[in-house]
Amino acid sequence: MLDTPSIRTDWTRQEAEEIYDLPFMDLLFRAHSVHRAHFDPNRVQKSKLLSIKTGGCAEDCAYCSQSARNGAKLPASKLVEVERVVAEARKARDAGATRYCMGAAWRSPKDRDMDTLAAMIEGVKALGMETCMTLGMLDDDQVLRLKEAGLDYYNHNIDTSERYYPEIVTTRSFADRIETLNRVREAGIKVCAGGIVGMGEERMDRIDMLLALATLDEHPDSVPINMLIPMPGTPLADAEPIDPFEFVRTVALARILMPRSHVRLSAGRTEMSDELQAMCFFAGANSLFVGDTLLTAANPEEDRDAALFRRLGLTAMEAFEDGAR
Ligand code: SAM
Ligand code: DTB
Ligand code: SF4
């Protein structure tokens, strides 16, 4: 990835701030130009999520319905059976998804679950789909086991800036997150890392979050930008919704700092108008979650997304298509 001169991992805060603060039209133009230089702007990657283990999580992430410490009262489930995961993945593939992302409400996986996780990866891969997992922090042995099973992507979000992180999570640190990301990268698994906008953070936190990702040794291959879904019972249930233009600015900055990454318009699309989503695609988003549920929260219905693709002339990327020019 680093062989292209436009791909930089030495962005400074001042540069990032100047880009984020550009007049909106200048920012959109620049982001779209970068997008167009690196991707076909009419192609969008489709991922599908499945919660393979829901609720009862030991961590205290303030946004999350699945933390046992929050008041969302989501009952803890057991790890879903491999056969069900593969059957759900087949349905998702037949509905047009090319990447299957399996998420577990864990601080980190237990070693006794690793065989089951490996079987899920093998089963989903056999369908011709890209595989992704998000299981919390990993140690060296666990990363290697996932790699051996053929895992393509690992999702691990930094969620916000290092400064704001302790306001959102206290049971682990920002540095813990970076450590797992580095481990995943070193093992040769593709990295999916992004964050959440609309948690009461400052503009500078959004900039610093993206800067932290853009100055890793290598950019994440996928960068999910989530708009907070305020989940009832969580400390962020009453968070002030973010100005949609700030959300678009965040997408645009992600595209400019990380030109070859897939920037994913992630959680929060049910609350976005089609026009706002179109603006995000113009600003450089080229991936999304499809299907009517994310992990525990709602996502737009299939027919709404199909209509959006039709109206905008967007087409879906193939599995393992990197999409880059
Ligand atoms: N437990 C694992 C972990 O935290 O890494 C994996 C699952 S966790 C639910 C995956 C990501 O979903 C979080 O890092 C966060 O960025 C995002 N997320 C969770 N709840 C959200 C919400 N209410 N709104 C927006 N994004 C959310
Ligand atoms: C990501 O950045 N967003 C996804 C995925 N990676 C794991 C999760 C969104 C979760 C939204 C809230 C829910 O469904 O509970
Ligand atoms: Fe647990 Fe992940 Fe939710 Fe945090 S985001 S409470 S680690 S499931």
Side-chain angles (χ1 to χ4, degrees), residues 57 63-64 66 103-106 134-136 155-157 159 172 177 195-196 226-231 267 295:
C57 184
Y63 49 78
C64 189
Q66 307 200 66
W106 286 328
T134 179
L135 314 168
N155 165 256
H156 201 62
N157 289 343
D159 284 338
R172 59 171 188 251
R177 287 312 255 190
I196 310 179
N226 296 277
M227 183 183 272
L228 176 74
I229 303 179
M231 301 302 281
L295 291 171

Side-chain angles (χ1 to χ4, degrees), residues 215-242:
T215 55
L216 291 169
D217 289 346
E218 257 188 82
H219 295 165
D221 302 270
S222 286
V223 181
I225 308 291
N226 296 277
M227 183 183 272
L228 176 74
I229 303 179
M231 301 302 281
T234 64
L236 291 175
D238 299 319
E240 246 337 91
I242 188 169

Side-chain angles (χ1 to χ4, degrees), residues 10 96 138 164 181 186 190 203 227 277-278 303 315 325:
D10 62 352
L138 300 176
Y164 198 57
L181 286 175
E186 275 161 29
K190 292 194 172 117
R203 208 170 217 219
M227 183 183 272
Q277 294 185 61
D303 51 357
T315 54
R325 290 204 197 270

Side-chain angles (χ1 to χ4, degrees), residues 262-283:
H262 287 87
V263 174
R264 185 172 308 119
L265 187 51
S266 302
R269 287 198 304 117
T270 39
E271 296 305 313
M272 294 179 201
S273 66
D274 286 355
E275 295 85 339
L276 174 57
Q277 294 185 61
M279 208 178 274
C280 291
F281 292 132
F282 188 79

